[in-house]
Amino acid sequence: MTEDWWIYKGTGVPHPGITRLPPAPAWRAFVDDEIASADHLPVPPRETASGRTTRRLGRVRQAAAYQADEKEVQRVNLALHLRRPLLITGKPGVGKSTLAYAVAHELNLGPVLRWPITSRSMLREGLYAYDAIGRLHDAGIGSGTMSYNSPDAGRAPGKEPDIGRYLRLGPLGTALLPWRYPRVLLIDEIDKSDIDLPNDLLNVFEEGEFDIPELSRLGRHTQEVMTADPDRTATVRDGVVRCAQFPFVVLTSNAEREFPTPFLRRCVRLEIQPPDENRLAAMVAAHLGEEVGNGAVRAELIAQFARKRRDGAELANDQLLNALLMAEGGLWTDQEDRRVIQDVLLRPLNES
């Protein structure tokens, strides 16, 4: 099978392949006269291996270590070419969310914009937040005074504070800004959402834009607002955020519910199966390095882990990494040590 159309290759090695992404299909093109040329649009900010963009094992390292199979690479490329969201289902811990970080890392698409979903999540929080109370407070409404520490201290009396400093785009809103290359947006655990959220997302996914009423009612103007990227702002024209490149949207689901047919029709769908022993060994080597010695401990634990999964135990990949880290550090010398690893670190998630 030809791989010439692959933009994402699943190698974990950064490359400029995103510059070869063909133009969007006519029915998924969002550039208009107001966005004159992609050459003048900002590129995604650089990902870093420290600070607020990493956690636990380090997202950059996790992304580089991700072992994507051919089916996953194909589905990612379909979503990129067609400008459609990628809906990933699978059991907890199989690497659904990590795939989003792997794509962002390999294609140099900047930090992943992550929106974790709960049963209370609404579309508005993904798009933007407006601190109306803070603005009223700083304007001195009610008391007629202004705090000495207010960001508007020293402005002319009677002038309202700039509304932009009280508006912050959410992960979805930031992803829909006019970037030169698509941003990566992770909508994590969409199956936990209220029943209406998938349908609420449809219009945004179809139109590639949304309106901010607080800015629209001010008439034609530009406004600088905060974004979900730390310490970065963006210019919003006439109260409308409109993408130039549809973001690479990854929606993850633990398959705990069904989704409406119109929602599924607009997604490229991927089901991730638990990795086999060979993929587990490659993942472990990428995170922990090659085994020192004959590798008997690592091979035994990987085999046990894979066997438990085949028998129906719900186990996450990071449980295996934790167990191996301790076992190879010496916690494998006697039966009591092994019981600690088996009973604590490798305890199935579906076992009470």
Side-chain angles (χ1 to χ4, degrees), residues 223-252:
Q223 188 67 243
E224 201 78 10
V225 302
M226 296 180 289
T227 72
D229 289 314
D231 306 317
R232 290 179 69 96
T233 61
T235 300
V236 176
R237 299 180 183 278
D238 306 327
V240 177
V241 175
R242 179 181 297 114
C243 72
Q245 293 284 342
F246 186 74
F248 177 66
V249 181
V250 173
L251 304 112
T252 69

Side-chain angles (χ1 to χ4, degrees), residues 25-301:
W27 57 90
R28 296 295 293 162
F30 299 101
V31 176
D32 59 20
D33 294 340
E34 293 185 20
I35 304 175
S37 171
D39 294 338
H40 300 295
L41 299 176
V43 298
R46 295 186 61 182
E47 176 66 280
T48 61
S50 61
R52 296 166 65 179
T53 60
T54 57
R55 65 179 180 87
R56 294 198 285 269
L57 293 174
R59 282 301 192 184
V60 174
R61 185 170 180 178
Q62 283 183 305
Y66 186 81
Q67 303 293 312
D69 64 19
E70 184 173 298
K71 182 178 72 171
E72 293 165 12
V73 174
Q74 289 173 351
R75 301 304 192 279
V76 167
N77 281 287
L78 284 172
L80 284 168
H81 280 266
L82 297 174
R83 276 62 170 189
R84 289 294 185 186
L86 180 65
L87 175 61
I88 306 179
T89 58
K91 293 186 178 298
V94 297
K96 299 187 296 297
S97 61
T98 306
L99 180 55
Y101 291 89
V103 174
H105 173 73
E106 183 175 318
L107 298 182
N108 294 306
L109 296 179
V112 171
L113 297 161
R114 179 173 178 265
W115 181 15
I117 300 299
T118 70
S119 60
R120 298 179 299 276
S121 296
M122 300 179 67
L123 179 63
R124 165 75 178 264
E125 73 181 55
L127 295 175
Y128 74 99
Y130 173 48
D131 183 8
I133 294 178
R135 188 177 182 221
L136 289 173
H137 177 270
D138 290 342
I141 292 179
S143 64
T145 60
M146 182 179 298
S147 167
Y148 178 79
N149 295 320
S150 166
D152 288 288
R155 62 174 170 80
K159 182 181 179 181
E160 289 190 5
D162 187 357
I163 190 174
R165 69 182 61 188
Y166 303 96
L167 273 162
R168 181 182 297 275
L169 299 181
L172 175 55
T174 302
L176 289 171
L177 287 168
W179 299 99
R180 188 182 310 178
Y181 305 120
R183 292 297 300 271
V184 177
L185 170 66
L186 172 61
I187 303 180
D188 215 3
E189 300 190 328
I190 184 70
D191 53 335
K192 289 185 176 178
S193 72
D194 177 88
I195 193 171
D196 293 325
L197 182 59
N199 282 327
D200 291 342
L201 286 167
L202 289 182
N203 187 60
V204 176
F205 287 165
E206 285 301 295
E207 300 301 325
E209 65 178 57
F210 69 95
D211 179 75
I212 302 177
E214 290 83 357
L215 298 183
S216 298
R217 66 171 61 104
L218 300 180
R220 298 186 63 84
H221 72 299
T222 60
Q223 188 67 243
E224 201 78 10
V225 302
M226 296 180 289
T227 72
D229 289 314
D231 306 317
R232 290 179 69 96
T233 61
T235 300
V236 176
R237 299 180 183 278
D238 306 327
V240 177
V241 175
R242 179 181 297 114
C243 72
Q245 293 284 342
F246 186 74
F248 177 66
V249 181
V250 173
L251 304 112
T252 69
S253 168
N254 295 327
E256 295 179 356
R257 60 176 280 195
E258 295 183 355
F259 295 104
T261 300
F263 178 80
L264 294 177
R265 181 168 59 85
R266 289 165 172 83
C267 296
V268 174
R269 297 161 71 179
L270 167 66
E271 183 177 358
I272 293 185
Q273 299 294 334
D276 59 20
E277 290 184 34
N278 291 333
R279 287 186 67 192
L280 285 171
M283 178 200 71
V284 169
H287 280 296
L288 302 181
E290 296 296 333
E291 167 74 346
V292 178
N294 60 17
V297 173
R298 181 171 295 188
E300 181 180 351
L301 268 175

